[in-house]
Amino acid sequence: MNEYRILIIGGGPAGMETAYQLKNLGLNPVIIERNDKLGGHLAQWDRLFPSSDSAETLLEKLKDQTKDIEKKLNAKISNITKEGNIFHVTLSNGIKYDAAAIVICTGFDLFKAEKKQEYGYGIYNNVITNAELEDYFKTHNDKRIDEPKRIGFVHCVGSRDVKVNNTYCSKVCCATALKQACEIKDEFPYADVYCFYMDLRMFGKGYEDLYLKAQKDFDIKCVRGRVCEVSENIEGKLVIKAEDTLLGTPMKMTLDLLVLMCGMEKSKSSNEIQKMLNINNNEDGFIETRDNFSGLNLTKEKGVFVAGACTSPKTLPDTIAEARAAAMEVFNYLKVNGQPSLVQ
Amino acid sequence: MRPIFDPFVLPFVISMTFVLLYCIIGMIRIIFQLPKEDRRKFLRSLIYPKSALKNFRDLVNDCLFHTKIWKRKPLLGYMHMSIALGWFMIIIVGHFESITFSPLRGLEVPFMQKMMSNLYLPIFFRYFAIEELSLKAQIFSFLMDFFLLMIISGIFIAVVKKKKPKKVGMKRVTKFGIKEDMVRLSLWTIFPLRFLAESSIANIAGGSFLTKYLGFELVFGGNYNETLSMVFWWLYSIDLAIFMTLLPFSRYMHIPAEALLILLRNAGLKTTEPRKGYAVAEIYSCPSCGLCIDVCPMSEVKDNYKNTAVYFIRNIRKGKRRRDVKNMTEKCLMCGKCIEVCPLGIESLNIKIAQRKKTYYKIKSDFSYLERLQDYKTTRPQDDLSAHSQKTLYFAGCMSHLTPKITRSMTKIFKLANENFEFLDADGSICCGRPMMLTGKINEAKALIAKNTELIKKSGAKKLVLSCPICYKVFKEEYQLDGIEILHHTQYINELIENDKLNIDRSDKRYAYHDPCELGRAFGIYDEPRNVIDNIGLLTQGKSDRDMSACCGGSIGSLTMSMEERDEITKNTIKDLTLNQPDEIVTACPLCLKTFARLSPIEVKDIAEIVVEGLEG
C-alpha cells in the first residue's frame, strides 16, 4: 500500500468513475461523500434519456466498480493544507489523509425553482420540478399528481435566463423534458402534454430520435415560447400565460400539472473546498478550468483536478468520459511532478 | 467737489444694458412659447393675491436664502445665501444710499443725465461720494461693508469647494470648460476688486469697518494714491462687464432664470415641449451645481455619470445633436432623486418624457381587445359580506401577477380583515398605462386609462387598493376616479393595523426597508410601511433611505440600460440596505422585489408577505 492517496471529493457518477479508473491505474483513491450514500443526483433519478434506460442499472454498475475502494460517507472536509506537492487533508470526523492529488467531483445543484416566483413553485400546489416528477416515477407516491388531464413542461427554468443571472444552457433539460413527457403520457394516456421551449437542443446521440418519437408516437405538443406567468383559478387549476412565438400569438391555458425543468447550478458544497484550495469560479458560477480545450480537467492549482458537472452542465456520458480523462491526467501528473514511486 | 461721471463706468453700463435687454427679450419669448392655456394661467397667477404672496415667499426663500440647499448641505447653503442675499442687499441698500446721499444733490443736472446716472451711481457710489459723518450715513456704510464681507466669505467657501469638494460634502462636482471657468473667475474677483476699489478711496468717500479700517488703513497703509485707485475702479468695472456680458451664455443665467421659473411653477405649469416655454426656463435655471451627480444611481457605472441630469440639461441647452440628447433621455431610470436634491426643483424627468414623446418608437400596439372587453373577470366577494359593507377593489397589476406571493398575501389579508373585497384583475389586467407614459406614448396610455376607469367605476366600489407603486403613480396622477379612494397596500395595511383589524405577533426579526421610487419620492409614503414593519419586527437603518433611497436598478423608466449596468446599481443598493445586518430586505414594489431577489444574499420579501407571516406566526 502506498502512503499517499488520491482524494476524490464527491461520490456521484464523476467521482465513482474517476476512482475506479485510478484504481485500475494502480493508484489508491479514496472517495469523500457528504451524503450517506453514493450516486448523487443519479440516485434520485428513475430513467435516463434518450433511451429511458434504468438509472439504477447504471448506478449499480458504478457502485460495483468501486466496491473495493475506500469511501468515507457522511464526511466533510474541514481543512486542507499543501506542503510541497502533498495535500494534508482533515475530515470533519478527524480522519487525516496525505494526498498526492485531489479530484473535485462535486457536481451540480438543481436550480431553486422558488427563485422564479412567476412560475409559482412553492405557492401553487400543482407546480412541481423535474426531480420531483422523477421521484414520482420511482415511488408513485405524490398526491399532487392525480390523473392530470393537461400537463405542461417548462424548459429552461433557471437556464438561459438573465433575470436569474444564469445565462448558460443546462444542456440536459431539453432531452429530460421530452423523456419525462413521453413517460407521463405513457402513464396517463388520455392527458394532453405540452412542452414550452425556447430552442430544442437535441444535439446528442439518439436525442433527435427521441424528439421525433415524442411527437409522432406520444403526441407531445411542443410550443416554442416561454411561459411568462402562472396563476390559479377558483377551482385550483393552474392558469398559464405564454406566447407561441412561431404563430406570434399570446396564449392562455389551464393545466392540472406544471413541471419545471430546473437547470443546473454549480453545487454550493464545493465553495468551502474551493476557498481552501484557492480555486475560482467562472462568470457563470462554475469552477474555472485551465482552458476550454485540452485542460478541462486541470485547475490553476497544481495537483487539483476536476471532473463532471462542477465545471459546466454535463450529460451523463460526458461526465463519465471526463472522469476517465481526469484519472489519466492524475496519472500523468504524478509521473512527472508528483511521487514517481506511486506510479510504477 | 467730486465728479459725477467718469469713463470707467462705461463698461459696466453697456454690459448691464445688454443683460437687461437679453433677459427681458428671453422672458417674453418664453412666455410666448407657452401654450395659450398655460399663458393665461400664468398671467392670472401674477395678479391673484394668494399666488402673488406665494410667489414673493418663494422668491425670497429660494433666490435669496436658498433654504433648500441649507437643509441638505448647510455649508453650501451658507455659500449661496451669502453671495445671493449679500449681493441683493448691496444692490438694494446701495440704491437707497445713493438716493439719500446722491452727489447730484443740489446740482442742476439735465433730466436725462440724472436718469443715466442712476444706472451706475449705486454701483460705484463711493467713487462719487464724499464721506458724511451723520449716523444715518454711518449706518449705511456699515451695512454696505457688512454685506460685502458676507459675499467675500461666501466666495471663500466657493474657492474651497472648487479645490476640495469633499470639504463641503460633495464627492463629484460638474466638470466645466474654459468659458465657464472664466465666468466663474470674473464672478469671484468682482467683490475683492470692489473691496480694493472702495478701500483705496475710503479717506475721501468714507467707509466702515471693512473698507475704511481694514482696507484703507491696513491694506493701503493709510495712503491715498489716485492712479492706483483709478486702476482698481477700472478693473472693478471691467470685471463686472465681463461677468455681465458672459452671463447669458454661462450657467450663471440661473440667477435671472430662477425667478421666472418660480413664477411659472407657482402658476401650476408643467413641461410639455422639451425645448420650448417652461422647459427653457428650467434649462436656463440649472446652475450646474452637480448635486444630482452624487445621488444619481446611474453614476454607479463609471462612465454613466455623463448621463446625469446636469449634463442632460447642459446638452439640451447647448443644442447638442438630437441623438446625444435622445440617448441620455432613454438611459435615465426616472427615479427622481435628482429632482429631490435639486435646489431649484428642476423637473428634468418631465423634459425627458417630453423629449421621448418626440421620438418615434417602433411599438406595435393593438388595443382592439379593449373594445371587446366588457368586464373584468373578478373573483366574487364573499356573499355574506357583500350585502352590508362597502366593496373594496383590489387591482394587482401585471408586475404583481409575476410575484404571486404578493397577491396571495393580499388576498389573505383582505380575508382576515373581513373585508368585502373583489380581486378585480385576478384573471389578468389591462395595463395601467404607466409604461406607455414613460415612453412618451401619451395617447396609447390614455386609451388604457379610459378603459380601466370605465371598468373600475362600473364596479361601484369606494376604495381601490393597488400592490404596485408603478400603477399607483399613474392611478393617482392620471385617473379621474372621483369618489374612489386610491391606496397602495402599504397604506391600506397600515390603516388596518391602526384600526386594530389585524393581530400581528411581533418577532425580533430584523428588516431593512427599501423605499420604492414611485411610492416614496413620488408620493411621500415613507411612514406607513415603517409603521407596519414596526409592528412586525425590528427595522434596521440602511445607508440612505426615504427621499434619498436608491433605485433598485430594475426601473422600467430606462429604455436602454443594459443588464450589467443595472446589476451594478442593484448590488450597490443592496449593500446600502444591508448595512446594519438585517435578516431580510422588505420592499413594497413587485419590481424592486424581483430585481433584488436576483442578487441579494439575504431573502427579499414584500411587506404584505411579512404581514402574513406575522399573522400566522
Side-chain angles (χ1 to χ4, degrees):
Chain A
M1 251 322 183
N2 289 301
E3 114 188 69
Y4 293 125
R5 313 294 298 270
I6 313 295
L7 205 73
I8 314 281
I9 304 172
M16 288 154 89
E17 181 68 21
T18 310
Y20 169 61
Q21 298 298 345
L22 285 171
K23 181 103 187 159
N24 284 348
L25 290 166
L27 296 169
N28 192 1
V30 52
I31 299 175
I32 314 294
E33 168 59 45
R34 67 187 164 128
N35 290 322
D36 56 1
K37 56 178 195 237
L38 294 178
H41 290 276
L42 181 61
Q44 323 291 321
W45 238 245
D46 183 47
R47 279 164 285 175
L48 305 173
F49 67 77
S51 44
S52 283
D53 288 337
S54 158
E56 211 177 332
T57 314
L58 177 64
L59 183 62
E60 285 311 314
K61 189 181 170 218
L62 289 171
K63 275 186 178 165
D64 190 52
Q65 287 174 351
T66 49
K67 64 176 186 290
D68 299 331
I69 295 170
E70 185 187 347
K71 297 153 213 130
K72 286 280 169 272
L73 299 180
N74 293 319
K76 265 188 178 170
I77 290 168
S78 56
N79 192 30
I80 302 178
T81 50
K82 196 175 180 186
E83 202 181 311
N85 281 336
I86 301 302
F87 298 93
H88 302 294
V89 183
T90 316
L91 301 189
S92 49
N93 51 13
I95 298 174
K96 286 185 181 176
Y97 292 103
D98 290 338
I102 292 177
V103 189
I104 302 176
C105 305
T106 43
F108 66 93
D109 288 339
L110 274 178
F111 173 76
K112 293 229 171 336
E114 295 92 333
K115 282 193 191 166
K116 289 290 282 181
Q117 219 192 98
E118 55 265 51
Y119 292 154
Y121 180 75
I123 302 173
Y124 307 125
N125 211 14
N126 295 337
V127 181
I128 66 171
T129 65
N130 42 1
E132 287 168 343
L133 181 60
E134 211 57 51
D135 185 62
Y136 167 79
F137 288 140
K138 263 182 119 158
T139 60
H140 282 86
N141 180 21
D142 194 328
K143 284 190 187 115
R144 296 173 291 186
I145 304 170
D146 178 25
E147 294 287 326
K149 292 188 184 62
R150 261 190 172 172
I151 303 159
F153 284 83
V154 186
H155 293 221
C156 302
V157 176
S159 312
R160 302 178 72 197
D161 186 351
V162 196
K163 290 185 177 164
V164 293
N165 253 349
N166 292 347
T167 48
Y168 52 84
C169 165
S170 284
K171 222 173 169 184
V172 298
C173 332
C174 283
T176 307
L178 286 169
K179 176 199 79 102
Q180 291 188 340
C182 294
E183 287 164 359
I184 203 155
K185 179 83 177 180
D186 217 20
E187 202 122 337
F188 306 106
Y190 298 106
D192 288 326
V193 183
Y194 296 86
C195 281
F196 295 92
Y197 67 94
M198 294 205 284
D199 292 299
L200 277 173
R201 300 193 160 171
M202 310 308 274
F203 54 92
K205 186 184 169 196
Y207 297 6
E208 188 66 20
D209 297 330
L210 169 67
Y211 177 38
L212 293 177
K213 187 179 80 175
Q215 293 178 91
K216 262 165 58 186
D217 302 346
F218 290 88
D219 197 22
I220 310 293
K221 295 169 189 76
C222 294
V223 182
R224 184 175 180 274
R226 252 187 164 162
V227 172
C228 64
E229 193 184 312
V230 180
S231 55
E232 218 173 36
N233 66 12
I234 307 161
E235 295 110 64
K237 286 200 173 182
L238 297 170
V239 181
I240 63 151
K241 285 186 190 162
E243 189 188 350
D244 189 328
T245 56
L246 293 181
L247 297 176
T249 52
M251 57 190 292
K252 202 169 167 184
M253 149 186 306
T254 50
L255 294 174
D256 302 302
L257 185 69
L258 186 68
V259 187
L260 305 180
M261 305 309 298
C262 298
M264 294 186 185
E265 284 182 339
K266 189 211 68 175
S267 172
K268 291 200 174 54
S269 62
S270 70
N271 288 353
E272 296 263 304
I273 301 155
Q274 279 178 255
K275 246 184 240 164
M276 293 175 210
L277 293 169
N278 193 22
I279 287 172
N280 296 330
N281 291 334
N282 279 323
E283 258 175 41
D284 59 10
F286 287 88
I287 296 177
E288 192 178 46
T289 54
R290 203 172 289 175
D291 66 30
N292 286 327
F293 305 98
S294 60
L296 280 170
N297 293 109
L298 310 176
T299 64
K300 70 175 174 55
E301 207 57 38
K302 268 173 104 182
V304 181
F305 301 81
V306 279
C310 60
T311 60
S312 72
K314 283 192 184 72
T315 60
L316 268 169
D318 283 354
T319 299
I320 288 166
E322 221 183 46
R324 292 175 180 167
M328 212 57 229
E329 291 280 12
V330 173
F331 184 80
N332 292 338
Y333 163 77
L334 293 179
K335 210 165 170 183
V336 181
N337 299 302
Q339 311 293 309
S341 63
L342 284 177
V343 185
Q344 257 76 53
Chain B
M1 190 68 210
R2 302 289 303 165
I4 55 167
F5 174 78
D6 194 286
F8 82 81
V9 304
L10 284 177
F12 167 74
V13 170
I14 295 166
S15 64
M16 191 64 206
T17 319
F18 164 71
V19 154
L20 282 177
L21 282 177
Y22 188 97
C23 290
I24 290 167
I25 293 170
M27 191 173 81
I28 293 171
R29 258 190 77 196
I30 289 176
I31 293 171
F32 268 92
Q33 282 172 350
L34 292 173
K36 216 171 171 187
E37 185 52 38
D38 278 4
R39 191 160 56 235
R40 221 174 278 154
K41 230 164 127 186
F42 169 60
L43 295 174
R44 234 181 285 144
S45 80
L46 295 179
I47 310 165
Y48 281 150
K50 203 175 155 191
S51 53
L53 197 73
K54 185 169 168 23
N55 280 340
F56 177 73
R57 205 180 53 216
D58 286 357
L59 284 173
V60 171
N61 276 343
D62 293 345
C63 296
L64 299 180
F65 288 99
H66 289 93
T67 37
K68 273 187 203 142
I69 315 180
W70 270 101
K71 278 178 204 156
R72 295 245 177 243
K73 305 230 147 85
L75 204 55
L76 284 182
Y78 175 76
M79 177 186 108
H80 282 86
M81 188 197 73
S82 58
I83 298 174
L85 182 68
W87 199 347
F88 181 76
M89 289 312 283
I90 274 194
I91 294 169
I92 296 291
V93 178
H95 271 79
F96 279 113
E97 189 183 30
S98 78
I99 290 166
T100 320
F101 303 104
S102 170
L104 302 178
R105 271 177 307 168
L107 292 180
E108 289 279 331
V109 183
F111 179 72
M112 272 313 285
Q113 199 188 343
K114 209 169 181 176
M115 287 308 291
M116 287 301 289
S117 67
N118 277 338
L119 261 178
Y120 60 84
L121 268 185
I123 313 299
F124 305 111
F125 177 72
R126 295 281 144 166
Y127 182 78
F128 302 102
I130 292 176
E131 182 170 24
E132 302 206 21
L133 295 168
S134 68
L135 179 65
K136 206 162 147 194
Q138 289 299 319
I139 292 175
F140 266 118
S141 41
F142 171 77
L143 283 177
M144 294 300 277
D145 269 16
F146 173 76
F147 289 119
L148 184 60
L149 180 67
M150 186 168 163
I151 299 175
I152 291 175
S153 70
I155 286 170
F156 177 73
I157 301 176
V159 177
V160 173
K161 175 189 163 219
K162 171 78 176 71
K163 298 283 169 219
K164 298 233 154 66
K166 274 187 190 145
K167 282 237 162 37
V168 295
M170 289 175 81
K171 263 199 282 189
R172 277 169 286 196
V173 287
T174 327
K175 289 182 183 144
F176 295 111
I178 193 150
K179 187 187 79 200
E180 291 283 352
D181 282 346
M182 225 169 88
V183 188
R184 182 176 47 211
L185 188 67
S186 71
L187 172 67
W188 283 357
T189 42
I190 287 174
F191 293 95
L193 281 173
R194 182 186 170 117
F195 165 71
L196 289 171
E198 288 191 339
S199 298
S200 70
I201 207 169
N203 62 328
I204 302 168
S208 190
F209 65 97
L210 190 67
T211 43
K212 195 172 175 187
Y213 300 112
L214 184 77
F216 186 72
E217 299 297 341
L218 279 174
V219 178
F220 289 94
N223 299 319
Y224 170 62
N225 179 331
E226 199 182 340
T227 328
L228 188 65
S229 175
M230 270 326 282
V231 168
F232 283 126
W233 283 107
W234 268 100
L235 283 177
Y236 174 43
S237 175
I238 291 170
D239 196 26
L240 272 169
I242 294 174
F243 179 71
M244 292 297 173
T245 316
L246 292 178
L247 177 126
F249 315 105
S250 73
R251 63 185 194 277
Y252 294 103
M253 189 61 190
H254 78 265
I255 300 168
E258 182 182 6
L260 178 64
L261 178 66
I262 290 174
L263 300 182
L264 291 170
R265 186 189 300 140
N266 283 352
L269 307 193
K270 284 230 146 70
T271 293
T272 46
E273 282 279 336
R275 290 169 196 245
K276 271 191 203 159
Y278 191 77
V280 179
E282 290 202 304
I283 289 161
Y284 279 95
S285 293
C286 173
S288 298
C289 63
L291 283 175
C292 48
I293 302 176
D294 280 343
V295 299
C296 180
M298 279 194 288
S299 323
E300 288 312 325
V301 180
K302 224 176 161 194
D303 271 354
N304 269 344
Y305 78 88
K306 287 181 197 140
N307 293 316
T308 49
V310 52
Y311 292 107
F312 165 72
I313 286 175
R314 187 197 279 182
N315 270 7
I316 285 207
R317 183 171 167 184
K318 277 187 184 162
K320 272 265 171 118
R321 279 180 308 150
R322 221 155 253 274
R323 221 184 48 206
D324 288 349
V325 173
K326 179 176 164 276
N327 289 347
M328 295 177 107
T329 310
E330 290 173 348
K331 197 99 182 196
C332 173
L333 293 155
M334 303 268 171
C335 73
K337 238 173 139 179
C338 48
I339 299 176
E340 205 65 39
V341 291
C342 181
L344 291 103
I346 296 170
E347 302 201 46
S348 50
L349 297 194
N350 288 344
I351 306 180
K352 285 171 187 166
I353 289 186
Q355 179 71 41
R356 286 180 185 185
K357 252 195 271 182
K358 298 254 161 208
T359 315
Y360 173 72
Y361 296 106
K362 268 196 204 157
I363 305 175
K364 224 173 45 184
S365 25
D366 176 7
F367 287 164
S368 56
Y369 73 98
L370 288 180
E371 274 173 43
R372 290 195 300 275
L373 196 76
Q374 290 307 311
D375 215 337
Y376 272 124
K377 273 188 239 158
T378 63
T379 49
R380 292 283 134 219
Q382 300 107 300
D383 287 332
D384 53 326
L385 283 167
S386 53
H388 57 81
S389 62
Q390 278 298 359
K391 189 160 70 178
T392 296
L393 280 190
Y394 176 54
F395 183 89
C398 63
M399 281 304 306
S400 311
H401 278 296
L402 295 180
T403 47
K405 276 188 188 163
I406 297 182
T407 51
R408 279 251 153 153
S409 305
M410 282 312 293
T411 315
K412 245 182 210 163
I413 290 170
F414 284 126
K415 280 183 184 153
L416 285 167
N418 228 4
E419 187 83 66
N420 169 23
F421 82 102
E422 195 172 323
F423 190 163
L424 191 65
D425 58 339
D427 195 45
S429 25
I430 299 174
C431 173
C432 63
R434 178 84 180 136
M436 284 294 183
M437 280 285 189
L438 280 169
T439 41
K441 299 209 133 210
I442 308 294
N443 289 336
E444 283 81 350
K446 291 247 161 84
L448 297 164
I449 290 170
K451 189 70 191 181
N452 266 328
T453 308
E454 180 199 322
L455 297 180
I456 289 168
K457 275 190 173 170
K458 218 160 98 180
S459 72
K462 285 280 166 252
K463 203 183 261 182
L464 175 66
V465 180
L466 306 167
S467 270
C468 176
I470 303 168
C471 300
Y472 184 74
K473 184 166 166 83
V474 73
F475 268 88
K476 278 292 226 195
E477 286 177 351
E478 307 290 337
Y479 280 64
Q480 308 280 321
L481 293 169
D482 14 52
I484 302 179
E485 189 190 3
I486 304 168
L487 293 172
H488 182 260
H489 72 238
T490 46
Q491 296 171 299
Y492 174 74
I493 294 171
N494 188 45
E495 252 182 42
L496 291 180
I497 290 176
E498 285 186 346
N499 295 334
D500 287 328
K501 288 203 178 164
L502 294 175
N503 294 315
I504 299 175
D505 289 339
R506 204 162 182 277
S507 75
D508 51 4
K509 227 179 196 172
R510 296 161 61 83
Y511 299 106
Y513 179 68
H514 168 76
D515 285 293
C517 308
E518 315 238 42
L519 208 57
R521 268 186 293 277
F523 295 101
I525 302 177
Y526 299 122
D527 295 329
E528 291 90 335
R530 288 181 169 78
N531 271 347
V532 173
I533 295 176
D534 274 340
N535 277 284
I536 303 170
L538 293 163
L539 185 65
T540 67
Q541 187 72 29
K543 193 174 154 206
S544 48
D545 61 352
R546 292 182 182 251
D547 58 347
M548 281 299 104
S549 143
C551 173
C552 65
S555 165
I556 57 166
S558 176
L559 309 179
T560 54
M561 189 166 280
S562 71
M563 211 67 191
E564 290 77 22
E565 291 171 300
R566 285 173 183 274
D567 281 358
E568 287 309 309
I569 297 171
T570 310
K571 280 180 206 158
N572 196 63
T573 308
I574 291 175
K575 208 172 91 196
D576 286 0
L577 281 168
T578 49
L579 185 73
N580 285 317
Q581 291 85 41
D583 299 318
E584 285 169 7
I585 294 175
V586 178
T587 182
C589 170
L591 183 53
C592 296
L593 176 88
K594 279 194 87 74
T595 310
F596 286 141
R598 294 181 63 224
L599 297 167
S600 171
I602 58 175
E603 202 153 356
V604 188
K605 285 178 182 162
D606 187 87
I607 196 156
E609 285 177 58
I610 62 162
V611 169
V612 168
E613 284 170 5
L615 291 166
E616 284 165 347

